[in-house]
Amino acid sequence: MSRVVSWLQIREQQLFYIVNRKMRHSALDRFFAAATHLGGASVTIAATLLVALFGSGSWRLAGLESLIALAVSHVPVAVVKRTYPRRRPYLVLPETNICKNPLTDHSFPSGHSTAVFSVVVPFVCAAPALGFVLLPLAGLVSLSRIYLGLHYPSDCAAGIALGTCAGLGAVAWFA
């Protein structure tokens, strides 16, 4: 079993370095520094509140589902971060490119990835055509977390899974 875990860790480091170091470009630096904020608390809470309060019909319902999914999804994030403390990659891996003011809390799972997918999924369920825009955008937010040196790929994958499950759960609750 330890050979499998070791193999996975090596592959994850390689993937991390591809995104964090080999993809480096000044335009991507600016893009990902901005895109990462789409998964932050200010944007996700404001967007869901605005749609839940001022939307109508199915949009209001999708906004409410997203707001509930966002709130519910952060319970397991907080629990897992405390239960399985994982140091951020820039603290562990040499030559990691990092953003300004890097976070110092634990890395696993990615809260930004969780947040953006918990918000996006109910909107995609309400209007599937939005998936062509919202899902790649959410994926870029997750990718930005690796690019900026703040998360490992598995942190983001776990966040995507948690956020997606929370979003689908909220949609199912109201169905």
Side-chain angles (χ1 to χ4, degrees):
M1 183 62 140
S2 65
R3 288 180 61 192
V4 171
V5 171
S6 178
W7 183 86
L8 287 171
Q9 287 174 331
I10 290 167
R11 296 302 170 265
E12 181 171 51
Q13 267 187 12
Q14 290 171 337
L15 182 56
F16 173 83
Y17 278 135
I18 288 169
V19 174
N20 181 261
R21 291 177 47 201
K22 294 193 189 272
M23 285 179 47
R24 247 23 224 187
H25 191 278
S26 60
L28 289 176
D29 292 349
R30 289 188 298 278
F31 174 77
F32 283 127
T36 199
H37 295 295
L38 295 175
S42 300
V43 172
T44 55
I45 293 169
T48 56
L49 268 176
L50 285 171
V51 177
L53 292 174
F54 301 112
S56 62
S58 64
W59 291 111
R60 173 176 256 155
L61 178 60
L64 182 61
E65 291 167 346
S66 290
L67 187 60
I68 290 169
L70 179 62
V72 168
S73 70
H74 276 70
V75 173
V77 169
V79 169
V80 171
K81 278 188 187 256
R82 284 182 182 82
T83 307
Y84 302 102
R86 185 181 197 186
R87 294 179 65 204
R88 292 192 180 265
Y90 75 89
L91 296 170
V92 177
L93 301 177
E95 300 179 37
T96 297
N97 292 311
I98 59 170
C99 62
K100 295 177 186 173
N101 305 320
L103 300 171
T104 57
D105 64 337
H106 299 300
S107 175
F108 183 83
S110 167
H112 280 67
S113 297
T114 303
V116 74
F117 275 88
S118 70
V119 168
V120 161
V121 165
F123 286 107
V124 172
C125 289
L130 282 177
F132 291 108
V133 175
L134 293 181
L135 291 173
L137 188 61
L140 287 171
V141 170
S142 291
L143 187 64
S144 77
R145 306 306 289 167
I146 302 165
Y147 186 89
L148 297 172
L150 299 170
H151 286 287
Y152 296 96
S154 60
D155 299 342
C156 294
I160 290 166
L162 285 170
T164 300
C165 288
L168 291 173
V171 169
W173 181 267
F174 284 93

